Amino acid sequence: MEKLDLTDVSIHEKDWKAFKKSATQEELLILGLGVKYKKIKSRPFAVISLLGIILSVAVGLLLMQYLEDMSAGLIVLLVGYVLFSFIATKVIRYSDSFSQINRKLESENRKALKNAFNVSSAAAVFDALVQLPIMFLTIPYQALMMGIGMFAPNFVISKNGVLIAIPKGYDIGNLGAIGEYYASFSLIGDFEKTSYENSHKYTATFTNDAGCEQTVHSPDGKNYYYENGAYAGHSDDNGKTISKD
């Protein structure tokens, strides 16, 4: 199989839906070929990650049971599980993207995609058998990602969003640029950004006892705080008047 130079791109579901509405058949076919190629190349990683998840949990539990200090076993269990689950879910994400692309293709292009890279029926069955346990074993990982997404949504999208593959150095429908935007967020940086945005949903200006104007912020439109986090007061009229409780 000819080697393709592709770049992984992880984007938000809403960006992916918007792209599919206006995508040309050529663009979809290029993406379909890239995703299918990645699916085939990731087959060994799927097996390794599946075994890695099972071994991480098994070894971690054994260490927790037989070692006096349970922390070592817990670290092995958690770190191993998260690492191998991340690798494993890439396979599922590629498969999901491939299915969505395939449904959008016209019959001629769908046939071309099916015949590309000559995947045997036995290999397709093997992929399905590997992906089935991966889907169940990574449910806790998906729950963890959902929890982190409440505080760092852009970071989670960069690690667990819709996964596609585009030719390196060539963007399609601005998807590469969108993917770079999400990839620019670190966990801590995105958490801080989200925390700031949540605490600054509402802004109000009032005159304090010294006759000076001050700007305060609120996460709920009722309780307002100074920029340093100190409590400023309560409002029942969306910040028009603010009074100390």
Short mmCIF file of all heavy atoms in Angstrom, two decimals, residues 26-49:
data_model
loop_
_atom_site.label_atom_id
_atom_site.label_comp_id
_atom_site.label_asym_id
_atom_site.label_seq_id
_atom_site.Cartn_x
_atom_site.Cartn_y
_atom_site.Cartn_z
N GLU A 26 -15.61 15.75 -4.21
CA GLU A 26 -14.15 15.58 -4.24
C GLU A 26 -13.55 15.72 -2.85
O GLU A 26 -12.68 14.93 -2.45
CB GLU A 26 -13.52 16.60 -5.18
CG GLU A 26 -12.01 16.47 -5.29
CD GLU A 26 -11.38 17.55 -6.15
OE1 GLU A 26 -12.10 18.49 -6.54
OE2 GLU A 26 -10.17 17.46 -6.42
N GLU A 27 -14.00 16.73 -2.10
CA GLU A 27 -13.49 16.94 -0.75
C GLU A 27 -13.83 15.76 0.16
O GLU A 27 -12.99 15.29 0.93
CB GLU A 27 -14.08 18.24 -0.17
CG GLU A 27 -13.54 19.50 -0.81
CD GLU A 27 -14.25 20.74 -0.32
OE1 GLU A 27 -15.45 20.65 0.05
OE2 GLU A 27 -13.63 21.82 -0.32
N LEU A 28 -15.05 15.29 0.05
CA LEU A 28 -15.46 14.15 0.87
C LEU A 28 -14.68 12.89 0.52
O LEU A 28 -14.30 12.12 1.42
CB LEU A 28 -16.96 13.89 0.70
CG LEU A 28 -17.91 14.94 1.31
CD1 LEU A 28 -19.34 14.71 0.83
CD2 LEU A 28 -17.85 14.91 2.83
N LEU A 29 -14.43 12.69 -0.76
CA LEU A 29 -13.69 11.50 -1.17
C LEU A 29 -12.25 11.56 -0.66
O LEU A 29 -11.71 10.54 -0.20
CB LEU A 29 -13.71 11.37 -2.70
CG LEU A 29 -12.99 10.14 -3.27
CD1 LEU A 29 -13.57 8.86 -2.69
CD2 LEU A 29 -13.08 10.14 -4.80
N ILE A 30 -11.63 12.73 -0.74
CA ILE A 30 -10.26 12.89 -0.23
C ILE A 30 -10.21 12.59 1.26
O ILE A 30 -9.32 11.86 1.74
CB ILE A 30 -9.73 14.32 -0.50
CG1 ILE A 30 -9.54 14.53 -2.00
CG2 ILE A 30 -8.42 14.55 0.24
CD1 ILE A 30 -9.19 15.96 -2.37
N LEU A 31 -11.17 13.12 2.00
CA LEU A 31 -11.22 12.86 3.44
C LEU A 31 -11.51 11.38 3.71
O LEU A 31 -10.94 10.79 4.64
CB LEU A 31 -12.28 13.73 4.10
CG LEU A 31 -11.99 15.23 4.18
CD1 LEU A 31 -13.17 15.96 4.81
CD2 LEU A 31 -10.73 15.49 4.99
N GLY A 32 -12.39 10.81 2.92
CA GLY A 32 -12.72 9.39 3.10
C GLY A 32 -11.51 8.51 2.89
O GLY A 32 -11.27 7.56 3.65
N LEU A 33 -10.72 8.81 1.87
CA LEU A 33 -9.51 8.03 1.59
C LEU A 33 -8.50 8.18 2.74
O LEU A 33 -7.86 7.20 3.14
CB LEU A 33 -8.87 8.50 0.27
CG LEU A 33 -9.65 8.16 -1.00
CD1 LEU A 33 -9.06 8.89 -2.20
CD2 LEU A 33 -9.66 6.65 -1.24
N GLY A 34 -8.39 9.41 3.25
CA GLY A 34 -7.47 9.64 4.35
C GLY A 34 -7.86 8.90 5.61
O GLY A 34 -7.03 8.27 6.28
N VAL A 35 -9.14 8.95 5.93
CA VAL A 35 -9.63 8.27 7.13
C VAL A 35 -9.51 6.75 6.99
O VAL A 35 -9.12 6.06 7.94
CB VAL A 35 -11.09 8.69 7.42
CG1 VAL A 35 -11.69 7.81 8.49
CG2 VAL A 35 -11.14 10.15 7.85
N LYS A 36 -9.83 6.25 5.81
CA LYS A 36 -9.73 4.79 5.60
C LYS A 36 -8.27 4.34 5.72
O LYS A 36 -7.98 3.28 6.31
CB LYS A 36 -10.29 4.42 4.23
CG LYS A 36 -10.33 2.92 3.99
CD LYS A 36 -11.04 2.56 2.70
CE LYS A 36 -11.13 1.05 2.52
NZ LYS A 36 -11.84 0.68 1.28
N TYR A 37 -7.37 5.12 5.17
CA TYR A 37 -5.94 4.80 5.26
C TYR A 37 -5.51 4.76 6.73
O TYR A 37 -4.79 3.85 7.16
CB TYR A 37 -5.14 5.85 4.49
CG TYR A 37 -3.65 5.68 4.58
CD1 TYR A 37 -2.97 4.84 3.69
CD2 TYR A 37 -2.90 6.36 5.53
CE1 TYR A 37 -1.59 4.69 3.76
CE2 TYR A 37 -1.53 6.21 5.61
CZ TYR A 37 -0.88 5.38 4.71
OH TYR A 37 0.49 5.23 4.79
N LYS A 38 -5.95 5.75 7.49
CA LYS A 38 -5.61 5.80 8.91
C LYS A 38 -6.21 4.62 9.67
O LYS A 38 -5.59 4.08 10.61
CB LYS A 38 -6.10 7.12 9.52
CG LYS A 38 -5.24 8.33 9.17
CD LYS A 38 -3.95 8.30 9.97
CE LYS A 38 -3.20 9.60 9.86
NZ LYS A 38 -2.02 9.65 10.75
N LYS A 39 -7.42 4.24 9.30
CA LYS A 39 -8.05 3.08 9.93
C LYS A 39 -7.20 1.82 9.74
O LYS A 39 -6.99 1.04 10.67
CB LYS A 39 -9.44 2.83 9.33
CG LYS A 39 -10.57 3.65 9.93
CD LYS A 39 -11.89 3.29 9.27
CE LYS A 39 -12.22 1.83 9.49
NZ LYS A 39 -13.46 1.41 8.81
N ILE A 40 -6.75 1.64 8.53
CA ILE A 40 -5.96 0.45 8.21
C ILE A 40 -4.63 0.48 8.97
O ILE A 40 -4.21 -0.52 9.56
CB ILE A 40 -5.71 0.35 6.70
CG1 ILE A 40 -7.04 0.15 5.96
CG2 ILE A 40 -4.76 -0.79 6.38
CD1 ILE A 40 -6.94 0.28 4.45
N LYS A 41 -3.96 1.64 8.96
CA LYS A 41 -2.66 1.77 9.60
C LYS A 41 -2.75 1.67 11.12
O LYS A 41 -1.77 1.32 11.79
CB LYS A 41 -2.03 3.11 9.21
CG LYS A 41 -1.49 3.14 7.79
CD LYS A 41 -0.34 2.16 7.64
CE LYS A 41 0.29 2.22 6.27
NZ LYS A 41 1.42 1.26 6.12
N SER A 42 -3.92 2.00 11.66
CA SER A 42 -4.07 1.98 13.13
C SER A 42 -4.51 0.62 13.66
O SER A 42 -4.68 0.44 14.86
CB SER A 42 -5.09 3.04 13.56
OG SER A 42 -6.39 2.75 13.05
N ARG A 43 -4.68 -0.37 12.76
CA ARG A 43 -5.13 -1.69 13.18
C ARG A 43 -4.23 -2.31 14.26
O ARG A 43 -4.73 -2.81 15.28
CB ARG A 43 -5.24 -2.61 11.96
CG ARG A 43 -5.83 -3.98 12.28
CD ARG A 43 -5.98 -4.78 11.00
NE ARG A 43 -7.00 -4.21 10.14
CZ ARG A 43 -6.88 -4.10 8.81
NH1 ARG A 43 -5.78 -4.50 8.21
NH2 ARG A 43 -7.86 -3.59 8.10
N PRO A 44 -2.90 -2.29 14.11
CA PRO A 44 -2.05 -2.85 15.18
C PRO A 44 -2.20 -2.09 16.50
O PRO A 44 -2.17 -2.70 17.57
CB PRO A 44 -0.63 -2.69 14.61
CG PRO A 44 -0.80 -2.57 13.14
CD PRO A 44 -2.10 -1.87 12.95
N PHE A 45 -2.37 -0.77 16.41
CA PHE A 45 -2.53 0.03 17.63
C PHE A 45 -3.85 -0.30 18.33
O PHE A 45 -3.93 -0.20 19.56
CB PHE A 45 -2.48 1.52 17.29
CG PHE A 45 -1.15 1.97 16.75
CD1 PHE A 45 -0.97 2.16 15.39
CD2 PHE A 45 -0.09 2.19 17.60
CE1 PHE A 45 0.25 2.56 14.88
CE2 PHE A 45 1.14 2.60 17.11
CZ PHE A 45 1.31 2.78 15.75
N ALA A 46 -4.85 -0.67 17.56
CA ALA A 46 -6.12 -1.05 18.17
C ALA A 46 -5.96 -2.28 19.03
O ALA A 46 -6.45 -2.36 20.16
CB ALA A 46 -7.17 -1.30 17.08
N VAL A 47 -5.24 -3.27 18.50
CA VAL A 47 -5.00 -4.51 19.26
C VAL A 47 -4.14 -4.23 20.49
O VAL A 47 -4.43 -4.69 21.60
CB VAL A 47 -4.33 -5.56 18.36
CG1 VAL A 47 -4.03 -6.82 19.16
CG2 VAL A 47 -5.21 -5.89 17.17
N ILE A 48 -3.06 -3.45 20.28
CA ILE A 48 -2.15 -3.13 21.40
C ILE A 48 -2.89 -2.35 22.49
O ILE A 48 -2.73 -2.63 23.68
CB ILE A 48 -0.95 -2.31 20.89
CG1 ILE A 48 -0.08 -3.19 19.99
CG2 ILE A 48 -0.13 -1.77 22.06
CD1 ILE A 48 1.01 -2.42 19.26
N SER A 49 -3.70 -1.39 22.09
CA SER A 49 -4.41 -0.57 23.08
C SER A 49 -5.45 -1.39 23.83
O SER A 49 -5.65 -1.21 25.03
CB SER A 49 -5.08 0.63 22.40
OG SER A 49 -6.02 0.21 21.42
#
